Amino acid sequence: MVTKGFRPILLRCFMWTLAAIVAFLILFPLWWIFISSITPAGELFSKPLKYWPVHPTLESYQYLIDHVGLLSKIGNTVIIVGLSIVIGMIVAVMAAFSFARFRNKGLSLAVAFLLGSMLIPDVVTARPLYDFLRQMQLYDTYTGLIILYISGLLPFTILILQNFLNDIPVSIEESASLDGCGFLQSMMYVTLPLLRPALATVCIVNFITCLNNFFTPLFYSNGISVLSTAITQLPLRDNMYAVPWDLVSAMGWIIILPIIIFVAVFQRQIMEGIMAGGIKG
């Protein structure tokens, strides 16, 4: 029979064991991708299985730089993803503030339109958007891609921020106005600081969404290539069973590394956003 004093110890052991299992399930694939990227192609499927390469090498990364244009793709990704997130967040904050603070039929229809747009698959709007971009001379341009990235991020971002704004009392902004704050000052110095956890959470989600966006740069661009489409330029080998897993792993590690860094830097804000959402629900 388990005594009362022993139960907390058992519960703590169970929680640590569960945490270790979850951590292993998350970290082991990342570790496997990394060691696959630094293992020579001829040793990838050697037996017995090795958890660290006998002859580690950076040839895969060097190949990507020399033959796939990795550095230019990283530069294009930084420009397109960075500007899309910054501009998209500015537009989304203003739209969410309007939806949360002003109520009329027009704004209600706009919110319904946003919800509806999230249900439309990208392939449905591909042809009209393609024609539109060509007519506006935005096809295969940074501007065209950034506009498309932003349009894909806005519905989710606006709805999340509006949800958080609905829980911030209007009386706080009214008090600020009594102290002499204008509309923009009230939004900048009173509302936005309270939105910081939500902004951090949405930023990381949008960052991952942009990096994983494969359809938009592949369909609406020919000369501007980003990291997510670089896998289409990897050389095919003799048969379908000879996929260049070393290059694929190197490309995968390059894509996932900034996500890991971003989450590590902003983990506190992300957890605050998740906790705020959980408490609110």
Side-chain angles (χ1 to χ4, degrees):
M1 184 176 179
V2 180
T3 62
K4 289 185 178 179
F6 197 59
R7 286 178 182 172
I9 298 175
L10 280 179
L11 181 60
R12 188 171 301 176
C13 290
F14 173 76
M15 292 177 64
W16 277 107
T17 304
L18 186 61
I21 293 173
V22 173
F24 176 79
L25 292 176
I26 294 173
L27 294 178
F28 184 74
L30 298 177
W31 170 254
W32 198 252
I33 292 173
F34 173 67
I35 64 171
S36 297
S37 71
I38 61 172
T39 300
E43 298 179 9
L44 276 175
F45 299 101
S46 62
K47 295 181 179 178
L49 197 62
K50 296 180 176 60
Y51 295 96
W52 181 257
V54 179
H55 305 98
T57 176
L58 296 177
E59 287 180 357
S60 299
Y61 296 94
Q62 190 64 47
Y63 185 93
L64 293 177
I65 293 173
D66 294 339
H67 300 282
V68 185
L70 178 65
L71 297 182
S72 66
K73 289 175 174 52
I74 291 176
N76 291 336
T77 303
V78 170
I79 293 172
I80 294 172
V81 172
L83 289 177
S84 299
I85 291 176
V86 172
I87 299 173
M89 288 298 290
I90 294 173
V91 175
V93 167
M94 292 190 292
F97 195 86
S98 302
F99 292 149
R101 293 294 182 258
F102 307 103
R103 304 295 172 92
N104 57 51
K105 290 184 178 179
L107 291 175
S108 299
L109 284 174
V111 174
F113 177 77
L114 281 174
L115 283 172
S117 67
M118 295 173 67
L119 304 177
I120 302 174
D122 290 340
V123 69
V124 174
T125 58
R127 179 57 193 274
L129 275 178
Y130 177 80
D131 292 339
F132 175 77
L133 289 177
R134 291 188 69 87
Q135 290 178 3
M136 299 299 293
Q137 298 184 346
L138 292 174
Y139 176 78
D140 201 16
T141 64
Y142 288 103
T143 305
L145 288 174
I146 290 171
I147 290 174
L148 292 175
Y149 271 70
I150 292 174
S151 65
L153 298 177
L154 280 181
F156 170 79
T157 308
I158 291 173
L159 292 175
I160 294 296
L161 294 181
Q162 181 194 358
N163 201 23
F164 275 85
L165 277 167
N166 286 335
D167 280 6
I168 297 177
V170 182
S171 57
I172 296 178
E173 295 157 16
E174 292 174 346
S175 300
S177 66
L178 291 176
D179 291 336
C181 284
F183 176 77
L184 290 178
Q185 288 176 319
S186 173
M187 190 169 70
M188 289 291 296
Y189 300 117
V190 176
T191 308
L192 281 184
L194 297 174
L195 269 182
R196 192 170 54 186
L199 292 174
T201 305
V202 171
C203 268
I204 184 63
V205 173
N206 287 347
F207 185 64
I208 295 172
T209 302
C210 288
L211 281 183
N212 289 334
N213 192 334
F214 183 76
F215 182 84
T216 300
L218 183 68
F219 199 85
Y220 301 107
S221 176
N222 187 33
I224 301 175
S225 182
V226 296
L227 284 174
S228 60
T229 58
I231 197 169
T232 62
Q233 299 177 15
L234 298 182
L236 296 176
R237 291 176 179 168
D238 298 336
N239 56 70
M240 62 182 295
Y241 300 104
V243 176
W245 291 114
D246 51 338
L247 301 180
V248 173
S249 299
M251 184 59 68
W253 184 250
I254 290 170
I255 292 176
I256 203 169
L257 185 60
I259 296 175
I260 295 173
I261 296 173
F262 200 90
V263 172
V265 171
F266 295 101
Q267 59 175 327
R268 187 170 62 85
Q269 286 82 359
I270 294 170
M271 289 305 298
E272 287 177 357
I274 294 173
M275 292 297 293
I279 292 171
K280 182 176 56 181

